[in-house]
Amino acid sequence: MAEISMREGYGKALAAYGAANPNVIVLDVDTSASTLTHFFAKQYPERFYNIGIAEPCMIDVAVGLALSGKIPFANGFSALLALRALEQIRTCVAYARTNVKIAASYAGVSDFKDGPTHHSIMDIAIMRAMPEMTVIVPADANEAGAWVPVIAEYDGPVYLRISRAATLPVHDPTVTVQIGKGITLRDGGDVTIIAAGSMVGRSLLAADQLAARGLDARVLEIHTIKPIDAPLILQAAAETGAIVTAEEHTILGGLGGAVAEVLSLHHPVPLEMIGVHDTFTRTAPTTELLMDAFCMGVEDITAAAERVIQRKR
Amino acid sequence: MYFHPDSQIIKLQEHARDLRLDSIEMIHRRQAGHPGGSLSAADIVAALFFHKMRIDPQNPAWPERDRFILSKGHASALLYAALAQCGYFPHEDLRRWGELDCHLQGHPDRLKTPGVDMTAGLLGHGVAVGVGIALAARMDGLSFRTYVLMGDGECQGGIVWEGAMVAAKYRLANLTAIVDFNNVQLDGAVHDILPLEPLADKWRACNWAVIEINGHDMRQILQALDTADEIHDRPTVIIARTTKGKGVSFMENKSHWHGVAPNDAQLAQAIAEIKGAGHHG
Ligand SMILES: Cc1ncc(C[n+]2csc(CCOP(=O)(O)OP(=O)(O)O)c2C)c(N)n1
């Protein structure tokens, strides 16, 4: 399977879906060569609006289009959509419940070279706190593409988190996804690794390494952070008795926080969280190096799994 | 207004050439960065760092220093080259830009790099932050000036105009904004993405003094900076008409070269053209 970037998987799927759904309108903020909405723009110039470098304005324009029955996909950098345009999203998208799809590119630390200003490591926590918002974090390019029709055909606000990088491939092109339904990628009884985004591929590698050490790890992909698949998580807690969460995000309030809420309310078991430890990141020569440097390495996952297994005894 | 002898102009043009060379080599070595907007602003940055600004590289926290905010923070290679050439840190540091343990981040970081007055990278903050600095200078009775270097695409952001109106309300004559009006942004030409013209009228309507110049003519740059010193009742914006990618023929006026690094052959050609250019403007 060719390893294309997640943004390319998304951008090409958006252009392809444009033919099927004439109601889809795409907006960008002078970043279509980065988010790769330029594929759509080229094919459907009459349904593409470049708003200029004005993220809050783009969200409100998208809201207006949605009020008139269109299905706007608002594209830009995750750090700017989730932060600079946040009040527009809270009031005019979530509270007013308009049918806007926010496609937040360059998420996590995938824009390794532009540095901490461009990294987006708190967007899941922010979006998850918002009533009415559906929050989706694909694991790879194929899955990102698979979400395009699904979120377009869902009626309501969606935040789709897109990586700039080629994450480790997890799914083949025929993957099907459903909002709120996690995916069991590997069965196991000693511990469950619950992962989202780029950390899904890394968690599968960690599970291989754990198997070599005689530990049997289950791997769940929770792509929908909200609404979260509580039954699947609780089943894993009951059957494996120990959980590790893994995400390319701060450990505060993201997937780890969501899983902790489910567990502590319904079925407390030992939990370890993999993610950025409440610090700003740095610039680095590659995304992989940056993830390793900020506690998101495969070794970090295996070590956490071993710790959490110890804690259940 | 001061008289600027030819010898001074030539010296500053040489500084601008050296900034262009360092910038393009840094971007090539790292295979990342933003050549177009670094090359377009090199003459302006040379005029500020090697002539106009009162700064002391040995004492980056000197309270009376002039302040510089690179609001278009993606031109970080240019700023780092200027800081190194002024002596804020060793020139060899430029070779390690972007490495995990290097102080030089993708975009300017005030906490890591000596001489960086404000962190930047996401566009639009410079004018409003500059307003705060300029207000504090007035309260503290300090005579330093605050310079904000912006992109033209950056002027599409609403926050720029919010800051501009506040600056005018408080008549911040100690604040100078410079727009690097190179006509090109990330996705294409500014007039295609979101037209800005008449840009000078927009700033005038916000009650700023406006000076329009050729941003590659060193004498015009120096005269504009001097003129701003003589305006005492309002902030000044210098609208500098420039060429994105200035000095490297295949990069000029091309949005492709906004954020793409040259390969080895392209670097060689770029260096030859920058070295061979002699006088700019
Ligand atoms: C608020 C914001 N939106 C988007 C970006 C991504 N981006 C970086 S540079 C750039 C284009 C800037 O164009 P301009 O201000 O004209 O700069 P210049 O041509 O001088 O390089 C964009 C869209 C950003 N850094 N900040």
Side-chain angles (χ1 to χ4, degrees):
Chain A
M1 183 171 10
E3 236 187 89
I4 63 166
S5 70
M6 194 189 289
R7 59 176 169 154
E8 189 175 341
Y10 163 77
K12 290 196 162 146
L14 189 63
Y17 185 66
N21 194 336
N23 254 346
V24 165
I25 312 289
V26 173
L27 301 95
D28 210 312
V29 280
D30 189 34
T31 52
S32 75
S34 306
T35 63
L36 303 190
T37 58
H38 66 357
F39 294 123
F40 184 99
K42 213 167 159 200
Q43 251 174 288
Y44 305 102
E46 72 290 353
R47 283 193 273 146
F48 176 80
Y49 295 101
N50 201 328
I51 300 299
I53 306 172
E55 287 79 3
C57 176
M58 173 182 67
I59 294 296
D60 281 349
V61 172
V63 166
L65 288 162
L67 288 175
S68 306
K70 310 291 182 202
I71 305 172
F73 277 65
N75 297 269
F77 291 176
S78 164
L80 286 157
L81 300 185
L83 299 170
R84 188 171 295 186
L86 180 57
E87 191 274 329
Q88 282 74 8
I89 293 173
R90 198 272 324 228
T91 306
C92 299
V93 178
Y95 179 49
R97 203 173 195 286
T98 52
N99 193 22
V100 175
K101 317 302 169 186
I102 298 153
S105 202
Y106 283 44
V109 296
S110 62
D111 188 12
F112 59 93
K113 61 191 165 75
D114 281 322
T117 47
H118 289 54
H119 298 164
S120 182
I121 57 166
M122 56 199 92
D123 57 319
I124 298 176
I126 291 164
M127 289 299 152
R128 193 171 80 76
M130 203 165 312
E132 302 293 346
M133 187 61 76
T134 293
V135 181
I136 289 169
V137 183
D140 67 4
N142 286 330
E143 189 191 331
W147 280 109
V148 168
V150 176
I151 67 172
E153 287 154 31
Y154 163 80
D155 182 25
V158 175
Y159 181 82
L160 179 67
R161 190 185 208 234
I162 300 291
S163 173
R164 179 185 187 281
T167 60
L168 291 174
V170 175
H171 300 286
D172 57 45
T174 59
V175 61
T176 57
V177 286
Q178 203 184 327
I179 292 173
K181 275 263 169 277
I183 303 173
T184 304
L185 291 170
R186 179 181 177 128
D187 238 324
D190 293 327
V191 60
T192 302
I193 306 170
I194 300 180
S198 63
M199 294 303 282
V200 175
R202 288 192 161 210
S203 296
L204 289 168
L205 289 181
D208 286 342
Q209 293 189 10
L210 288 165
R213 297 175 210 172
L215 295 172
D216 200 10
R218 181 178 303 190
V219 178
L220 302 186
E221 180 189 349
I222 294 292
H223 46 61
T224 309
I225 313 293
K226 186 182 185 174
I228 198 155
D229 190 349
L232 192 67
I233 293 167
L234 289 171
Q235 187 191 349
E239 291 173 4
T240 68
I243 306 259
V244 176
T245 59
E247 62 197 306
E248 190 186 332
H249 185 267
T250 171
I251 55 172
L252 303 182
L255 170 69
V259 169
E261 289 159 18
V262 170
L263 294 178
S264 52
L265 286 171
H266 303 288
H267 190 118
V269 297
L271 170 69
E272 298 273 338
M273 295 179 186
I274 297 297
V276 179
H277 287 213
D278 193 22
T279 179
F280 285 106
T281 47
R282 294 185 71 98
T283 307
T286 66
T287 302
E288 290 69 28
L289 209 129
L290 197 51
M291 290 175 68
D292 292 345
F294 283 88
C295 307
M296 295 174 286
V298 175
E299 300 305 318
D300 294 298
I301 305 172
T302 55
E306 288 176 334
R307 275 198 311 276
V308 81
I309 289 170
Q310 284 298 321
R311 284 172 56 197
K312 44 173 186 173
R313 283 163 195 154
Chain B
M1 201 171 314
Y2 303 99
F3 171 68
H4 299 288
D6 286 348
S7 59
Q8 180 187 34
I9 300 291
I10 290 167
K11 196 138 191 347
L12 288 171
Q13 286 169 338
E14 287 168 0
H15 278 298
R17 178 201 60 202
D18 291 347
L19 291 178
R20 286 191 168 92
L21 286 173
D22 268 347
S23 302
I24 207 75
E25 284 177 351
M26 289 167 70
I27 293 166
H28 168 261
R29 191 178 305 112
R30 193 179 164 229
Q31 283 300 298
H34 296 82
S38 298
L39 295 172
S40 65
D43 301 290
I44 296 160
V45 166
L48 286 169
F49 278 82
F50 298 101
H51 165 68
K52 187 67 189 177
M53 289 200 298
R54 282 185 312 168
I55 49 177
D56 177 3
Q58 302 314 310
N59 187 7
W62 178 38
E64 292 174 49
R65 73 190 185 281
D66 286 337
R67 305 299 199 272
F68 178 74
I69 301 178
L70 183 67
S71 195
K72 44 171 272 183
H74 56 278
S76 49
L78 175 65
L79 174 60
Y80 297 156
L83 293 174
Q85 289 180 24
C86 285
Y88 282 91
F89 50 79
H91 194 263
E92 305 90 77
D93 289 8
L94 299 180
R95 307 182 64 85
R96 300 192 55 251
W97 176 33
E99 288 179 20
L100 195 52
D101 58 353
C102 178
H103 65 91
L104 299 171
Q105 298 297 298
H107 289 74
D109 184 327
R110 65 180 283 265
L111 299 176
K112 296 191 178 69
T113 302
V116 171
D117 285 320
M118 183 53 198
T119 300
L122 299 180
L123 296 161
H125 296 290
V127 171
V129 172
V131 166
I133 296 172
L135 284 171
R138 178 186 286 171
M139 285 188 282
D140 293 343
L142 296 176
S143 62
F144 71 80
R145 179 167 288 276
T146 298
Y147 293 96
V148 177
L149 179 57
M150 312 160 61
D152 46 3
E154 181 176 12
C155 292
Q156 294 161 350
I159 178 67
V160 170
W161 303 102
E162 296 170 29
M165 287 186 280
V166 178
K169 173 184 177 188
Y170 293 108
R171 299 186 170 277
L172 292 175
N174 54 354
L175 179 64
T176 302
I178 304 161
V179 179
D180 178 7
F181 201 166
N182 60 28
N183 285 309
V184 178
Q185 48 190 114
L186 190 160
D187 267 348
V190 171
H191 57 82
D192 288 331
I193 303 298
L194 185 67
L196 283 172
E197 296 284 25
L199 185 62
D201 287 348
K202 285 186 174 67
W203 286 96
R204 272 189 210 105
C206 288
N207 288 325
W208 282 55
V210 178
I211 304 170
E212 295 185 78
I213 60 165
N214 172 349
H216 300 306
D217 182 323
M218 191 57 75
R219 193 177 296 279
Q220 287 190 29
I221 296 170
L222 298 185
Q223 285 172 350
L225 292 169
D226 292 345
T227 303
D229 291 342
E230 305 302 320
I231 296 169
H232 299 294
D233 64 342
R234 59 189 60 204
T236 297
V237 60
I238 298 169
I239 297 181
R241 304 275 168 182
T242 57
T243 300
K244 195 148 175 168
K246 174 72 177 179
V248 179
S249 59
F250 60 90
M251 290 187 175
E252 288 188 358
N253 297 310
K254 297 234 167 49
S255 66
H256 171 75
W257 290 103
H258 170 76
V260 170
N263 63 25
D264 293 351
Q266 289 161 338
L267 173 73
Q269 187 186 338
I271 289 175
E273 288 188 18
I274 294 168
K275 281 190 170 156
H279 297 185
H280 301 288

